[in-house]
Amino acid sequence: MEKLITQLRILKEMNLKPNYSALAREYGCDRRTVKKYNNGYTGGGNTRNKKSKLDKYLPIVQEKLQYKGIHIKSVYEFLIDKFSFENIGTYSNFHKYVVKHKLLVNKNTSKTVRFETLPGKQAQVDWKEDITMISKYGEIFKFSVFSFKLGNSRYVYYEYRKEKTREDLFECLINAFKFIGGVPQEILFDNMSSVVDVNTGKINSKFLAFSKDMGFKVKRCKPRHPETKGKVESCNKFVEWLIPYNNEFEDETQLIDLIHMINSKVNSSVNQTTRVTPNFLFQKEKEYFLPIPKQTILEQYTKRNQKYLVYPDSLINFNNKKYSVPSKYIGQYVYAQQIDSYLYIYFNTNLISKH
């Protein structure tokens, strides 16, 4: 309508009366519209302040978006989980609502170049470290999440861990192999101390032996080239879906269940790069994996899977020697693992004693 407004202004400056009908035909509108513009209307103006069904969730959205490193997607998934899709609606509408109300404080706009790999060729591994979550009862949980992501399908596996020892890494990798039903040809790591000898900068002998037993080749990220690990780092962003559940979960068991739920959601959500779900591409990629080693080989790296009964004197019998645990675990089964000259005793994933 800018041309119409300009023409009407010229006619007014020349003291000429506009022919509303002729101008309406020329500009394809109603003559009353032409008259309205001639009387000073400039467009826009009175619009209804239409309410959104998201308005009643605005305080929750504002609260969750205050967390450091939060993403719009993670808050959306939290609301869907808590209030259902029928009440929240589509992600695109939710995104528009957040942008319209300027609710997102920090938004990461950086982009990473990704390197494509063949099916079954590569997985990428990393830790999401030092996560702190608080239960609804005020209990503080500090933990890390192991991330394993297939390069071709983007299929992922997450695991909750209290520690990040070499033995934790062994167990997590074996659990990931069982989860995907095979072993990729190579796995990409950064310079984590459980893989690389800090003194020599080379793969340490224990991890090298593990990789040979499992059948995969160890690949390292190039120094100062984080884009080579972009897939797993983008995978880690989904762990931030946990953030909205701060002060929402009851205990450690429910926290672990939330990680499993997010794991399932990530694998069933459309990937922005491939435009399909990881679940879809995984059905083809799983045909290319190497076989999982025999159980006798796996057991060399998963001794923690052996259970020990806590006797009435609060002791367990490990390798014909007695070791104490807190009395509240009497009658329970615990896990014990020897690492170097120390014995670590666990109940579920909690370290309860060290000798």
Side-chain angles (χ1 to χ4, degrees), residues 162-179:
K162 285 291 188 66
E163 299 182 59
K164 308 190 305 306
T165 65
R166 182 185 299 120
E167 287 70 24
D168 283 293
L169 181 59
F170 288 163
E171 291 181 354
C172 287
L173 283 167
I174 289 173
N175 291 339
F177 299 153
K178 292 178 178 179
F179 185 76

